[in-house]
Amino acid sequence: MSTGDATHTAVAERGTRKRRVGLKNGGKSKNKKQKTRPPSSDRFKLTQKKQKLFQKRARDYNSDDEEDESKKAPEVTIREKIFSDANMGPNYDEVEEEEDGSDKDENSDGEDHGEIQSGITRFAADDGCNAFKMAFKSIMKSKGDDALGPVLSAQKNLIAQKLAEEEAEKKAKGQARKAKYLVAEKGHVKPANHLESHEKVLIGVATKGVVKLFNAVNKAQHAQKGLNASRSKDAKVLKKRRKEAFFSELGKTPRSDSKAQKSSNANEEEAPAWAPLRDNYMLANPKLKDWDKKQETNEGDDFAAMSGDESYED
Amino acid sequence: MGRFKNNKKGRVNVKPIAMKKNNQANVDHVTGDKIPKSFVFSRTKLPASVKQLQMDLRKLMLPYTALSLKEKKRNTLRDFLNVSGPMGVTHFLMLKKTASALSLRVARTPQGPTLTFKIHQYSLASDIAQSQLRPRCPPDLFKNPPLIVLSGFGTQELHLKLATIMFQNIFPAIDINTVKLSTCQRLVLLNYNKDTKLIDFRHYSIRLQPVGVSRRLRKFVEKHEVPDLRNLQDVSDFVTKAGYGSESEGDEEAATVTLSSDLGRVNRGSTKSAVKLQEIGPRMTMQLVKVEEGLCSGGIIFDESENGDEKIAKKKQNEDGEEEEGEEGSEEEEEGEEGSEEEMDEDLE
């Protein structure tokens, strides 16, 4: 049954949603307003809580007990003064309800609004009552006080200490972040000046390689330019030329797409690595050399001139 | 059921958008070789600039790589291996950043050797573009695979030989008979410095400029900028005026190439053109520290730090005049690492 109800409600919602499609824009603005609403709702909550506290304080208030009150009162006024001076109106109501100073310290450190003052104010603040603030202000007649308001000497030292601590912590955090950043960026070098001398050397080396390759390509492709590939007579010549050019280029460059520079490459002048590509394939090996000597004794000389593959295609 | 569950957990969320099976061939039509494809990824979390370096490397390996590869934290190497099989991926490039060093591992799947490089310095493509006066990036620059130039590696040392072969195989081969020069637009250079054992990694774009034409004419034809003819009496002045030569014209002499065919409107066939390189892409200085037989596992063929430790240990044992003997003994133990001789001699001095 509950599921049935759930489905019913789901259907109902969907139905309502369908209707509201056109009203999306209105809904959006409503949402926006909704977003800004929570502070006011909190404000509402806090003021209610505050009222209770006010009442409690009023009950506990004892003018004879000066030590406690003197501590409390200036804290109250400090907070009020600071808030009024620093124009932190909206944040005024977001102050938390804890009476413990240590908890406030944590708050001051944790929620940093980007102003050092805010931490101090959180620390120094206590829940006070608006009425008391007004009363005190009227008594003091707002003489030219410094930003922190009427501060007792002990309070001043405490505040100074807190400031120093916060700065130190910020510094430490900044340094830790910097150190982390340095470790992450280790080895990353931004070239200050394009084309330093070493770079020029490297570019020269690379250019030499490219020029070699392009020349080889030109040679190979130019050789077959004049010939028409479809004519059978030319085809053979074409093939022969291509092979010769290819092998000669291979003699210089072991692979067609990479060139080891002559600086320390002793193998360049040697024959290519793959056996059939060498010019003396099948001629060096005495077993293979005379493979057709049985059939044709006359053509032994011809084989010496051409590579072994050529004979197959005749 | 348990097996099915396992598969789902270990599935890698790979979305290689750049790799569409109908677009890319597995086998090169011309050479008949298999086209090598690669994955560039990292198994650890990377800081921002290293992530950019990874992106730059991916662009470098285009078009035969997964540009938008997405990896999840729970993907292991095994997952990548499983995916690479059906897709025909042959190489993995893995970046790893630890507190001490940034390392790049180049490995051949499925069981190929793994080269580990320690990157001492790197610069991103965006840094380089910022440092240049006129950064150049034509739109179809990454449509074709780059050429590769290896220099200074030599053929003596085993680990260097292995590195050479590995890098040559990462990029597809070209056939000089049929290749169109217009498709060779990029170049990767790896330069090995024997003294410092560092490998310089650079990435350039190739540009061809006609040679023998005065600067003004060339600029006019290339850029269609209307020239300023205020001070000239006659158009012939514009065409024939001997402009001052730029300082790079001397270099052009060495870089001249005779093209076999027309390349665009400006560089006509059978005329001289100069090859000009401009740096794009990341710049790295790295050192080969480890070579392993398997894919990040297996026997260690070469280890840079091992070399150093052995040296130090031997030195401690033989302090006085017996140093040379001890080190010669250790040389015999190491296989084919002739480079170590030089290192030890240097240390003695």
Side-chain angles (χ1 to χ4, degrees):
Chain A
M1 285 191 205
S2 59
T3 51
D5 289 344
T7 49
H8 276 300
T9 50
V11 169
E13 279 178 13
R14 240 184 280 148
T16 50
R17 222 180 287 159
K18 269 188 185 170
R19 274 187 220 147
R20 278 198 187 155
V21 163
L23 297 171
K24 240 190 184 175
N25 291 334
K28 267 192 182 169
S29 63
K30 272 188 195 169
N31 281 340
K32 279 191 183 164
K33 277 190 184 168
Q34 285 268 326
K35 278 191 180 169
T36 54
R37 276 287 156 109
S40 63
S41 58
D42 285 349
R43 213 176 277 166
F44 214 69
K45 253 195 234 169
L46 287 168
T47 48
Q48 275 205 336
K49 267 192 176 179
K50 266 204 188 119
Q51 279 189 358
K52 286 189 180 170
L53 264 162
F54 301 163
Q55 290 166 7
K56 190 187 169 200
R57 287 257 169 81
R59 263 181 273 130
D60 296 344
Y61 182 68
N62 189 357
S63 55
D64 293 341
D65 221 350
E66 278 197 358
E67 276 186 318
D68 297 330
E69 296 314 317
S70 64
K71 265 196 191 161
K72 270 193 190 168
E75 287 179 1
V76 166
T77 48
I78 290 160
R79 190 202 67 152
E80 307 304 343
K81 248 298 159 172
I82 292 161
F83 280 141
S84 61
D85 287 348
N87 273 335
M88 308 226 337
N91 294 333
Y92 157 77
D93 291 311
E94 286 176 23
V95 172
E96 316 236 282
E97 302 277 313
E98 288 125 20
E99 308 232 354
D100 212 7
S102 56
D103 287 341
K104 264 178 242 129
D105 293 356
E106 284 169 1
N107 279 343
S108 68
D109 292 345
E111 304 170 32
D112 212 357
H113 281 271
E115 292 183 16
I116 297 177
Q117 291 277 349
S118 64
I120 308 293
T121 57
R122 291 279 166 84
F123 159 70
D126 195 356
D127 311 300
C129 59
N130 209 3
F132 201 87
K133 166 201 171 190
M134 304 295 274
F136 200 82
K137 226 178 173 178
S138 59
I139 293 171
M140 295 294 294
K141 292 206 173 124
S142 61
K143 292 186 185 173
D145 300 319
D146 46 334
L148 282 180
V151 181
L152 300 180
S153 59
Q155 195 77 331
K156 220 184 215 171
N157 289 342
L158 221 62
I159 287 179
Q161 210 181 46
K162 252 291 153 181
L163 261 170
E165 267 183 43
E166 278 196 8
E167 273 192 47
E169 274 185 37
K170 275 199 177 170
K171 233 186 183 180
K173 264 192 202 170
Q175 274 181 353
R177 231 182 287 160
K178 253 191 203 172
K180 211 178 167 187
Y181 180 72
L182 276 177
V183 168
E185 293 281 314
K186 183 179 171 189
H188 184 198
V189 170
K190 298 205 178 169
N193 179 22
H194 184 59
L195 275 197
E196 284 152 0
S197 59
H198 185 53
E199 299 299 321
K200 280 196 181 161
V201 168
L202 289 177
I203 286 188
V205 167
T207 316
K208 259 194 251 172
V210 173
V211 167
K212 243 184 174 181
L213 172 71
F214 279 19
N215 283 334
V217 168
N218 284 330
K219 225 176 165 185
Q221 291 184 353
H222 195 73
Q224 53 180 343
K225 244 189 186 176
L227 301 172
N228 189 358
S230 56
R231 289 166 58 189
S232 59
K233 191 178 163 193
D234 282 343
K236 280 188 192 167
V237 183
L238 218 160
K239 262 190 198 159
K240 188 179 171 186
R241 265 205 212 170
R242 219 213 255 179
K243 264 201 189 104
E244 284 174 2
F246 195 60
F247 295 159
S248 63
E249 288 313 315
L250 281 180
K252 291 181 204 160
T253 62
R255 278 186 77 94
S256 62
D257 64 335
S258 82
K259 292 135 286 239
Q261 295 293 314
K262 283 186 180 160
S263 53
S264 53
N265 193 359
N267 276 351
E268 265 199 16
E269 317 313 320
E270 289 176 13
W274 194 34
L277 292 177
R278 288 190 213 125
D279 286 337
N280 53 357
Y281 179 64
M282 283 182 78
L283 299 173
N285 192 346
K287 275 190 201 168
L288 296 173
K289 180 177 175 186
D290 304 323
W291 63 275
D292 55 354
K293 271 266 162 90
K294 277 185 201 167
Q295 297 117 16
E296 296 139 350
T297 47
N298 298 339
E299 301 189 34
D301 292 335
D302 288 350
F303 284 124
M306 294 185 279
S307 62
D309 282 342
E310 194 84 49
S311 61
Y312 285 117
E313 284 149 15
D314 285 339
Chain B
M1 288 302 273
R3 233 187 295 146
F4 293 139
K5 256 194 186 171
N6 251 346
N7 277 344
K8 237 192 176 177
K9 261 193 205 168
R11 192 188 316 171
V12 70
N13 194 10
V14 172
K15 291 178 192 167
I17 297 174
M19 280 179 66
K20 291 179 188 167
K21 278 189 185 166
N22 38 351
N23 274 359
Q24 286 202 346
N26 255 345
V27 174
D28 194 357
H29 294 296
V30 183
T31 61
D33 298 330
K34 187 171 171 204
I35 297 183
K37 297 182 185 155
S38 57
F39 274 168
V40 182
F41 60 93
S42 79
R43 279 184 287 164
T44 62
K45 192 171 177 204
L46 297 175
S49 56
V50 184
K51 254 191 215 165
Q52 281 206 6
L53 180 68
Q54 185 183 333
M55 200 59 204
D56 287 340
L57 279 177
R58 273 190 196 161
K59 278 179 101 179
L60 199 151
M61 307 292 300
L62 275 178
Y64 296 118
T65 189
L67 189 62
S68 327
L69 183 64
K70 290 184 176 48
E71 67 245 5
K72 293 221 164 136
K73 218 175 178 180
R74 61 168 185 262
N75 295 142
T76 62
L77 196 56
R78 191 114 273 280
D79 300 330
F80 283 106
L81 269 178
N82 292 337
V83 178
S84 67
M87 283 188 179
V89 173
T90 54
H91 290 85
F92 284 172
L93 271 80
M94 294 168 278
L95 280 171
K96 185 174 179 188
K97 169 90 179 139
T98 58
S100 58
L102 173 66
S103 71
L104 169 72
R105 287 181 156 187
V106 181
R108 177 116 182 37
T109 61
Q111 307 145 346
T114 309
L115 300 166
T116 307
F117 295 96
K118 177 178 165 188
I119 299 181
H120 290 263
Q121 286 179 342
Y122 64 93
S123 299
L124 299 174
S126 47
D127 300 337
I128 290 178
Q130 269 176 5
S131 73
Q132 285 178 349
L133 284 177
R134 295 193 192 95
R136 177 182 175 251
C137 185
D140 51 353
L141 189 62
F142 293 104
K143 262 193 194 169
N144 302 105
L147 309 172
I148 181 159
V149 174
L150 298 153
S151 124
F153 277 91
T155 49
Q156 300 307 318
E157 297 176 5
L158 187 65
H159 54 275
L160 292 181
K161 235 173 156 180
L162 195 57
T164 320
I165 295 174
M166 172 89 70
F167 277 115
Q168 282 171 3
N169 288 332
I170 278 186
F171 299 108
I174 61 171
D175 177 27
I176 56 175
N177 288 312
T178 53
V179 70
K180 279 189 186 174
L181 287 182
S182 59
T183 60
C184 308
Q185 284 180 318
R186 289 186 293 139
L187 181 79
V188 171
L189 168 71
L190 283 154
N191 181 35
Y192 177 69
N193 190 344
K194 264 206 174 133
D195 308 321
T196 62
K197 299 211 161 201
L198 293 177
I199 301 177
D200 290 317
F201 180 102
R202 301 282 185 274
H203 184 211
Y204 299 106
S205 72
I206 299 175
R207 191 165 50 122
L208 287 166
Q209 256 183 6
V211 143
V213 184
S214 83
R215 201 153 165 247
R216 302 164 112 208
L217 272 183
R218 184 166 37 90
K219 294 225 172 197
F220 175 52
V221 173
E222 279 182 357
K223 292 188 192 170
H224 300 273
E225 284 172 359
V226 179
D228 185 6
L229 300 174
R230 263 181 298 185
N231 303 327
L232 302 177
Q233 303 287 345
D234 190 19
V235 170
S236 60
D237 287 345
F238 173 70
V239 174
T240 58
K241 181 172 178 180
Y244 54 86
S246 70
E247 61 181 34
S248 64
E249 264 177 39
D251 302 338
E252 282 181 22
E253 294 298 316
T256 350
V257 163
T258 308
L259 291 177
S260 63
S261 57
D262 296 351
L263 251 178
R265 216 164 41 90
V266 184
N267 304 299
R268 298 239 162 246
S270 58
T271 57
K272 288 196 182 285
S273 304
V275 170
K276 288 218 153 160
L277 300 180
Q278 191 169 2
E279 190 170 1
I280 49 174
R283 189 193 276 193
M284 293 195 289
T285 311
M286 38 195 209
Q287 183 185 7
L288 177 61
V289 297
K290 203 156 60 158
V291 177
E292 287 157 314
E293 258 176 49
L295 194 65
C296 297
S297 59
I300 294 182
I301 300 175
F302 167 77
D303 194 341
E304 190 77 38
S305 60
E306 205 183 76
N307 215 1
D309 287 339
E310 258 181 58
K311 252 194 300 180
I312 293 171
K314 292 280 175 183
K315 264 195 174 170
K316 279 188 185 161
Q317 286 172 12
N318 320 317
E319 277 179 342
D320 303 323
E322 293 177 348
E323 273 180 4
E324 289 182 23
E325 288 176 327
E327 282 163 6
E328 271 167 28
S330 70
E331 279 171 25
E332 286 161 26
E333 287 165 29
E334 289 159 5
E335 320 162 45
E337 287 170 18
E338 290 133 296
S340 58
E341 273 187 31
E342 300 168 38
E343 291 172 19
M344 290 178 182
D345 288 340
E346 283 162 22
D347 270 351
L348 280 176
E349 290 164 1

